[in-house]
CSV table of all heavy atoms in Angstrom, one decimal:
chain,number,residue,atom,x,y,z
A,115,SER,N,-6.7,-4.7,-4.7
A,115,SER,CA,-5.3,-5.2,-4.5
A,115,SER,C,-5.2,-6.0,-3.2
A,115,SER,O,-4.5,-7.0,-3.1
A,115,SER,CB,-4.4,-4.0,-4.5
A,115,SER,OG,-4.3,-3.5,-5.8
A,116,GLN,N,-6.0,-5.5,-2.2
A,116,GLN,CA,-6.0,-6.2,-0.9
A,116,GLN,C,-6.5,-7.6,-1.1
A,116,GLN,O,-6.0,-8.6,-0.5
A,116,GLN,CB,-6.8,-5.5,0.1
A,116,GLN,CG,-6.2,-4.2,0.7
A,116,GLN,CD,-7.0,-3.6,1.8
A,116,GLN,OE1,-7.4,-4.4,2.7
A,116,GLN,NE2,-7.2,-2.3,1.8
A,117,ALA,N,-7.6,-7.8,-1.9
A,117,ALA,CA,-8.2,-9.0,-2.0
A,117,ALA,C,-7.3,-10.1,-2.6
A,117,ALA,O,-7.5,-11.3,-2.3
A,117,ALA,CB,-9.5,-8.9,-2.9
A,118,VAL,N,-6.3,-9.7,-3.4
A,118,VAL,CA,-5.4,-10.7,-4.0
A,118,VAL,C,-4.0,-10.6,-3.4
A,118,VAL,O,-3.1,-11.1,-4.0
A,118,VAL,CB,-5.4,-10.5,-5.5
A,118,VAL,CG1,-6.8,-10.8,-6.1
A,118,VAL,CG2,-4.9,-9.1,-5.9
A,119,ASN,N,-3.9,-10.0,-2.3
A,119,ASN,CA,-2.6,-9.9,-1.5
A,119,ASN,C,-1.6,-9.2,-2.4
A,119,ASN,O,-0.4,-9.6,-2.4
A,119,ASN,CB,-2.1,-11.2,-1.0
A,119,ASN,CG,-1.3,-11.1,0.3
A,119,ASN,OD1,-1.7,-10.3,1.2
A,119,ASN,ND2,-0.3,-11.8,0.4
A,120,CYS,N,-2.0,-8.2,-3.1
A,120,CYS,CA,-1.0,-7.4,-3.9
A,120,CYS,C,-1.1,-5.9,-3.6
A,120,CYS,O,-1.0,-5.0,-4.5
A,120,CYS,CB,-1.4,-7.6,-5.4
A,120,CYS,SG,-1.1,-9.3,-6.0
A,121,SER,N,-1.2,-5.6,-2.3
A,121,SER,CA,-1.5,-4.3,-1.9
A,121,SER,C,-0.2,-3.6,-1.3
A,121,SER,O,0.6,-4.2,-0.6
A,121,SER,CB,-2.6,-4.3,-0.8
A,121,SER,OG,-2.9,-2.9,-0.4
A,122,ALA,N,0.0,-2.4,-1.7
A,122,ALA,CA,1.1,-1.6,-1.1
A,122,ALA,C,0.7,-1.2,0.3
A,122,ALA,O,-0.5,-1.0,0.6
A,122,ALA,CB,1.4,-0.3,-2.0
A,123,PRO,N,1.7,-1.1,1.2
A,123,PRO,CA,3.1,-1.2,1.0
A,123,PRO,C,3.6,-2.7,1.1
A,123,PRO,O,4.8,-2.9,1.0
A,123,PRO,CB,3.7,-0.4,2.1
A,123,PRO,CG,2.8,-0.5,3.2
A,123,PRO,CD,1.4,-0.6,2.6
A,124,ASP,N,2.7,-3.6,1.3
A,124,ASP,CA,3.1,-5.0,1.5
A,124,ASP,C,3.9,-5.6,0.4
A,124,ASP,O,4.8,-6.3,0.6
A,124,ASP,CB,1.9,-5.9,1.8
A,124,ASP,CG,1.2,-5.5,3.1
A,124,ASP,OD1,1.8,-5.0,4.0
A,124,ASP,OD2,-0.1,-5.7,3.2
A,125,THR,N,3.5,-5.2,-0.9
A,125,THR,CA,4.2,-5.8,-2.0
A,125,THR,C,5.7,-5.4,-2.0
A,125,THR,O,6.5,-6.3,-2.2
A,125,THR,CB,3.5,-5.3,-3.3
A,125,THR,OG1,3.4,-3.8,-3.3
A,125,THR,CG2,2.1,-5.9,-3.5
A,126,GLY,N,6.0,-4.2,-1.8
A,126,GLY,CA,7.4,-3.8,-1.8
A,126,GLY,C,8.1,-4.4,-0.6
A,126,GLY,O,9.3,-4.8,-0.8
A,127,ASN,N,7.5,-4.5,0.5
A,127,ASN,CA,8.1,-5.0,1.7
A,127,ASN,C,8.4,-6.5,1.5
A,127,ASN,O,9.4,-7.0,1.9
A,127,ASN,CB,7.2,-4.8,2.9
A,127,ASN,CG,7.1,-3.3,3.3
A,127,ASN,OD1,8.0,-2.5,2.9
A,127,ASN,ND2,6.2,-3.0,4.1
A,128,MET,N,7.5,-7.2,0.8
A,128,MET,CA,7.7,-8.6,0.6
A,128,MET,C,8.9,-8.8,-0.4
A,128,MET,O,9.6,-9.8,-0.3
A,128,MET,CB,6.4,-9.3,0.0
A,128,MET,CG,5.3,-9.5,1.1
A,128,MET,SD,3.9,-10.5,0.5
A,128,MET,CE,2.8,-9.2,0.0
A,129,GLU,N,9.0,-7.9,-1.4
A,129,GLU,CA,10.1,-8.0,-2.3
A,129,GLU,C,11.4,-7.8,-1.6
A,129,GLU,O,12.4,-8.4,-1.9
A,129,GLU,CB,9.9,-7.0,-3.4
A,129,GLU,CG,8.8,-7.4,-4.4
A,129,GLU,CD,8.9,-6.6,-5.7
A,129,GLU,OE1,9.9,-6.7,-6.4
A,129,GLU,OE2,7.9,-5.9,-6.0
A,130,VAL,N,11.4,-6.8,-0.6
A,130,VAL,CA,12.6,-6.6,0.2
A,130,VAL,C,13.0,-7.8,0.9
A,130,VAL,O,14.2,-8.3,0.9
A,130,VAL,CB,12.4,-5.4,1.1
A,130,VAL,CG1,13.5,-5.4,2.2
A,130,VAL,CG2,12.4,-4.1,0.4
A,131,LEU,N,12.1,-8.4,1.6
A,131,LEU,CA,12.4,-9.6,2.4
A,131,LEU,C,12.7,-10.8,1.5
A,131,LEU,O,13.6,-11.6,1.9
A,131,LEU,CB,11.2,-10.0,3.3
A,131,LEU,CG,10.9,-9.0,4.4
A,131,LEU,CD1,9.5,-9.2,5.0
A,131,LEU,CD2,12.0,-9.1,5.5
A,132,ALA,N,12.1,-10.9,0.4
A,132,ALA,CA,12.4,-12.0,-0.5
A,132,ALA,C,13.8,-11.9,-1.1
A,132,ALA,O,14.5,-12.9,-1.3
A,132,ALA,CB,11.4,-12.1,-1.7
A,133,LYS,N,14.2,-10.7,-1.4
A,133,LYS,CA,15.5,-10.4,-2.0
A,133,LYS,C,16.7,-10.3,-1.0
A,133,LYS,O,17.8,-10.8,-1.2
A,133,LYS,CB,15.5,-9.1,-2.9
A,133,LYS,CG,16.7,-8.9,-3.7
A,133,LYS,CD,16.5,-7.7,-4.6
A,133,LYS,CE,17.8,-7.5,-5.5
A,133,LYS,NZ,17.6,-6.3,-6.4
A,134,TYR,N,16.4,-9.6,0.1
A,134,TYR,CA,17.5,-9.3,1.0
A,134,TYR,C,17.4,-10.0,2.4
A,134,TYR,O,18.3,-10.0,3.2
A,134,TYR,CB,17.5,-7.8,1.3
A,134,TYR,CG,17.8,-7.0,0.1
A,134,TYR,CD1,16.8,-6.3,-0.6
A,134,TYR,CD2,19.1,-6.8,-0.4
A,134,TYR,CE1,17.0,-5.5,-1.7
A,134,TYR,CE2,19.3,-6.1,-1.6
A,134,TYR,CZ,18.3,-5.4,-2.2
A,134,TYR,OH,18.5,-4.6,-3.3
A,135,GLY,N,16.2,-10.6,2.7
A,135,GLY,CA,16.0,-11.2,4.0
A,135,GLY,C,16.8,-12.5,4.2
A,135,GLY,O,17.0,-13.2,3.3
A,136,THR,N,17.2,-12.7,5.5
A,136,THR,CA,17.8,-13.9,5.9
A,136,THR,C,16.7,-15.0,6.0
A,136,THR,O,15.5,-14.7,6.0
A,136,THR,CB,18.5,-13.8,7.2
A,136,THR,OG1,17.5,-13.5,8.2
A,136,THR,CG2,19.5,-12.7,7.2
A,137,PRO,N,17.1,-16.3,6.0
A,137,PRO,CA,16.1,-17.3,6.1
A,137,PRO,C,15.2,-17.1,7.4
A,137,PRO,O,14.0,-17.4,7.3
A,137,PRO,CB,16.9,-18.6,6.2
A,137,PRO,CG,18.2,-18.3,5.4
A,137,PRO,CD,18.4,-16.9,5.7
A,138,GLU,N,15.8,-16.7,8.5
A,138,GLU,CA,15.1,-16.4,9.7
A,138,GLU,C,14.1,-15.3,9.5
A,138,GLU,O,13.0,-15.3,10.0
A,138,GLU,CB,16.0,-16.1,10.9
A,138,GLU,CG,16.9,-17.3,11.3
A,138,GLU,CD,18.1,-17.6,10.3
A,138,GLU,OE1,18.4,-16.7,9.5
A,138,GLU,OE2,18.6,-18.7,10.3
A,139,GLN,N,14.6,-14.2,8.9
A,139,GLN,CA,13.7,-13.0,8.6
A,139,GLN,C,12.5,-13.4,7.7
A,139,GLN,O,11.4,-13.0,7.9
A,139,GLN,CB,14.5,-11.9,8.0
A,139,GLN,CG,15.4,-11.2,9.0
A,139,GLN,CD,16.4,-10.3,8.3
A,139,GLN,OE1,16.5,-10.2,7.1
A,139,GLN,NE2,17.1,-9.5,9.1
Side-chain angles (χ1 to χ4, degrees):
S115 294
Q116 285 189 46
V118 296
N119 210 41
C120 293
S121 186
D124 296 331
T125 48
N127 292 342
M128 285 188 266
E129 289 195 62
V130 166
L131 290 166
K133 185 173 183 178
Y134 298 102
T136 64
E138 293 75 19
Q139 290 170 349

